[in-house]
Amino acid sequence: MNTKKKITAIAAAAPQQVAAHDAGDISLHASRLSLALEGKNILRDISFSLPAQGINVLIGPSGAGKSTLLRCLNMLHTQWQGDLQIMGRDVRKWPDSEDGLRRTIGLIAQKPTLFPCSIQQNIVFGLSRKDRNHMPENRIKKVLKQAALWDEVKNRLHDQAATLSVGQQQRLCIARALMLSPNMLLLDEPTASLDPRSRQFIEASLLELSENMPVLCVTHDIEQAKRLGGKIIFMCDGRLIESGDSKLFFKHPNRIESREFLRWSVCDCS
Amino acid sequence: MLNLWMRTSALISLLVVVVMLGFLLQQSWPYWQHDGLNPLLSGDWYPYEHLFGLAAAIIGSFWAALIALAIAIPTGLAAAVMSTEILPGPWRSLMRSGMELLAGIPSVVYGLLGLWILLPLLQSNLHLLTGHNLLAAGLLLSVMVLPTIMVMTQDALCEVSSHQRDTAASLGMGWSARLWRVLLPQAWPGIRSGILLALGRALGETMAVMLVVGSMDRIPDPWYNLLAPAQTLTSRIGREIGESAFGSMHFSALMACGLLLALITITISMLAHIRSDKISVNRP
Ligand SMILES: Nc1ncnc2c1ncn2[C@@H]1O[C@H](COP(=O)(O)OP(=O)(O)O)[C@@H](O)[C@H]1O
Ligand SMILES: [Mg+2]
């Protein structure tokens, strides 16, 4: 009787690959995340993990719940059900509260959002007062270089941030997130409305950053997903449909929804 | 057509202001002619001896408004932050309708409440001969201008976009850092307008102040003595205009008080409408 119960439990857990990996090489592990907002199920039973480095692309048609999923990961949405471990720790029991968790995760929103102050003040905005006032120049230079923005702003760090182009603003947002030395980077359609040049810059810097930390980039653009490579996670209608190696996914999608999406860029799961 | 209508009405309202100021200036002209600007510095107001110094009333007006703002600004800001950022929706609208109700109560009612509740309280707790004084006027005014500050601050806070809020939160900024470094600075233009409107109202309020201020023309002595009966520009006009003969020097002096008030409040409301083009937000 007891054994039978155990077997059923294992069978139920098996498709979700619960704890299949060591915490050592896994930075983020989500299992069975679900979220309902205003009585509507937005996310249903999402399970995935991010390895300690490398690029991960979260792809899906618009309205799939990609942005909502990112917001759950850094507790901008808190009402979700399920289990979420980051760096091997349960996010609900994070030692220095949600604010500390959010400093560990760099989340870059789809719309570049800057504060109405200078470029330099924006970069250090998330830091404590002491760090803001005594930030060494070369640290600022480093994050700007990582975000592929240094050459364009090195002579105008004290200009208003709003004078930058949208593409530059998005890279400034990335630099600002990097300033907090996060352990991972989550980006919500970072290039959705940008010029091709800024898009190239951002894609290149994401690939470079992913050598040292996991980067999760949301996109609805199939071509961009192909360019970025790495690991792919395909979502549709609040469900995780398929995940795995990017090249394999584009060559041989397993699920009918994936094939449909790759063909038409839309899919009607619902 | 609409354009024409808007221009006409703008022109008319400008004209009304000019005509009003012109009328006040004309009526108070004998007064200014008599002694120039000297009475602005003198505290002696004895109509029967033809002494019409305005300093006591001017100082009284500013003291009362200052007390009112000193209380209403922190309270109003705290109430607005509480209701927009902390309380759940139903409470928020309850608080807001409460404030709108407060704003709608006629000022004479405030005056009566002050007379019956506030003055006896002050008198017995501070052991005064009378509770009629500047402190009473300031306290009463602070309740009257509180809704203005709170409602304008609420609106200004609501206008701070969710993108800004989420971005600040995503950077791991704590609640107080978000409040002081994002919400309040970005809402500041609206808050400032609210404060200036409240100041205008506090300086211009007549009925309630008249009932509690004591109407004695004395410059506070020492300057911070707020517990003695005093006078404001508005309370003086309200109390004495009925007993002054039209065309007399007394009448002309009261018109001068009116002119001063009009000039001060017009300046303040003009300041409230000027919004700096460059919203400089980050004060490190
Ligand atoms: N705060 C919310 N309340 C209710 N529904 C929401 C909320 N945020 C998002 N949704 C709904 O969740 C679904 C997924 O949205 P989103 O995560 O933005 O999709 P994506 O980023 O994949 O385009 C949409 O149908 C949207 O209407
Ligand atoms: Mg989205």
Side-chain angles (χ1 to χ4, degrees), chain A residues 37-38 40 42 60-69 77 188-189:
Chain A
L37 291 173
E38 292 161 13
K40 204 175 125 203
I42 312 279
S62 85
K66 309 183 293 295
S67 305
T68 311
L69 177 60
H77 284 305
D188 192 356
E189 312 208 14

Side-chain angles (χ1 to χ4, degrees), chain B residues 241-257:
Chain B
I241 196 73
E243 39 191 76
S244 67
F246 184 82
S248 69
M249 190 57 91
H250 188 190
F251 180 83
S252 181
L254 291 174
M255 283 295 168
C257 293

Side-chain angles (χ1 to χ4, degrees), chain A residues 71 102-103 114-115 125 132, chain B residues 164 166-167 169-170 172 174 181:
Chain A
R71 293 168 61 83
R102 290 175 185 147
R103 282 191 290 272
L114 297 174
F115 300 104
F125 205 88
R132 285 204 301 281
Chain B
Q164 293 275 336
D166 287 350
T167 303
S170 299
R181 299 187 46 227

